[in-house]
Amino acid sequence: MNQVRAKAKEIVEQYGRDGALSLQSLESAEFGVWDRLTPGALLVAALCLAAIEDPALADQMTESGDSLLSRLVSDDFRAIELDADDASMSWERAVARLSAYASSDTLDGLLTQAEDLWSEVLESGELTHPRVRDGESGPWDAEETPMPAGVERLDYGVLKVPRLEGARMHPLHGGERIVGVVVSLGDHALSLQVFKVPSGPVWDTVRPKAVRGVRDQGGSAEEAVSGFGPEVRARIPVVRDGKQVLQPTRIIGCDGPGWLLRGVYGGPAALADVVDPRAHHLFTQTVVDLSAAEGQTDATQGITEVEVHWPTRG
């Protein structure tokens, strides 16, 4: 058994002995890392395979109200790792299910299959090819139909942003105006902002300017392609605890009819080859409604930021 599979089995066995995941197991699993083979990735894949082999297991997870595990077995990772405490509990439930389901021999077989499956997915590039405005993913224009059903969105006027359990929404200020939405995702954050454009796609011309802007600030930046499509991967100088540090930051964008949706995603793992599925869901399922910005800008002004409507709470 190779080292990654052995570590994954050791994590399950540790849970079986102690009835709880140790901090060492949580750290060694590297849960939430999807761009390479890790013990955590194998355990998630093994749980998915177990649910496929035994539909009763998937039913049990659904009936128990364990929404995270239900999402895992349907390949939907949007709610994973919103914050450290929730993440630890969620992963513990996943390992508990696997521990209860699999004997030692069964687990060996599941982990072997999981390694083959995950290696095939990584080699295929399926996790890194662009998935924006491709018929299944947006961002969407409010006048486009049909859009995927079942996505609950929060209304910020020009921006309709998907609701994500555990995420927190904050206003993005531009002077005295609110010009975007910041979604806090634990130790990461995604800001969303709409720009009205006079004609044609503009993201191809905006990206080189973003690269130069970051470099002029003393940071580093380069263009790349990921699940978000063409993007800028940067390390931007910020002041933290009185010291200047370089913040890993992904600058993403997508052209729509008369608009550009820009996202800025920052945090320790912001530059991983495989994009954060929560951030991808938020960005590609956002709806842009320029009718809510009528009167704000003049079409002859070039690329202009659009104010969002922040809901009042009574």
Side-chain angles (χ1 to χ4, degrees), residues 12 58 84 100 142 166 177 246-247 313:
V12 177
R177 302 193 308 156
L246 294 177
Q247 168 72 53
R313 309 203 182 276

Coordinates of all heavy atoms in Angstrom, one line a residue, residues 12 58 84 100 142 166 177 246-247 313:
V12 N -8.7 6.5 9.4 CA -10.0 5.8 9.7 C -9.8 4.9 10.9 O -10.6 4.8 11.8 CB -10.5 5.0 8.5 CG1 -11.7 4.2 8.8 CG2 -10.7 5.9 7.3
A58 N -26.2 6.1 1.2 CA -26.6 7.5 0.8 C -27.9 7.9 1.4 O -28.1 9.0 1.8 CB -26.6 7.6 -0.7
A84 N -13.0 26.8 10.4 CA -12.2 25.6 10.9 C -13.1 24.7 11.8 O -13.0 23.5 11.7 CB -11.0 26.1 11.8
A100 N -17.8 3.2 10.0 CA -18.9 2.3 10.3 C -19.2 1.3 9.2 O -19.7 0.2 9.4 CB -20.1 3.1 10.7
A142 N -29.7 38.6 -16.4 CA -31.0 38.5 -15.9 C -32.0 38.2 -17.0 O -33.1 37.6 -16.7 CB -31.5 39.8 -15.2
G166 N -23.5 29.3 5.8 CA -22.3 29.5 6.6 C -21.4 30.7 6.1 O -20.5 31.2 6.8
R177 N -20.2 55.1 -1.7 CA -21.1 54.2 -2.4 C -20.7 52.7 -2.1 O -19.6 52.4 -1.7 CB -21.1 54.4 -3.9 CG -21.4 55.8 -4.4 CD -21.6 55.8 -5.9 NE -20.6 55.2 -6.6 CZ -20.7 54.6 -7.8 NH1 -21.9 54.6 -8.4 NH2 -19.7 54.1 -8.5
L246 N 2.6 39.5 1.4 CA 2.1 39.3 0.0 C 0.8 38.4 0.2 O 1.0 37.2 0.6 CB 3.1 38.7 -0.9 CG 4.3 39.6 -1.2 CD1 5.3 38.9 -2.1 CD2 3.8 40.9 -1.9
Q247 N -0.3 38.9 -0.2 CA -1.6 38.1 -0.1 C -1.8 37.4 -1.4 O -2.0 37.9 -2.5 CB -2.7 39.1 0.1 CG -4.1 38.5 0.0 CD -4.5 37.6 1.2 OE1 -4.4 37.9 2.3 NE2 -4.9 36.4 0.8
R313 N -32.2 46.1 7.0 CA -32.7 45.1 7.9 C -33.5 45.8 9.0 O -33.0 46.6 9.8 CB -31.6 44.2 8.5 CG -30.6 43.7 7.4 CD -29.9 42.5 7.9 NE -28.9 42.1 6.9 CZ -29.2 41.3 5.8 NH1 -30.5 40.9 5.7 NH2 -28.4 40.9 5.0

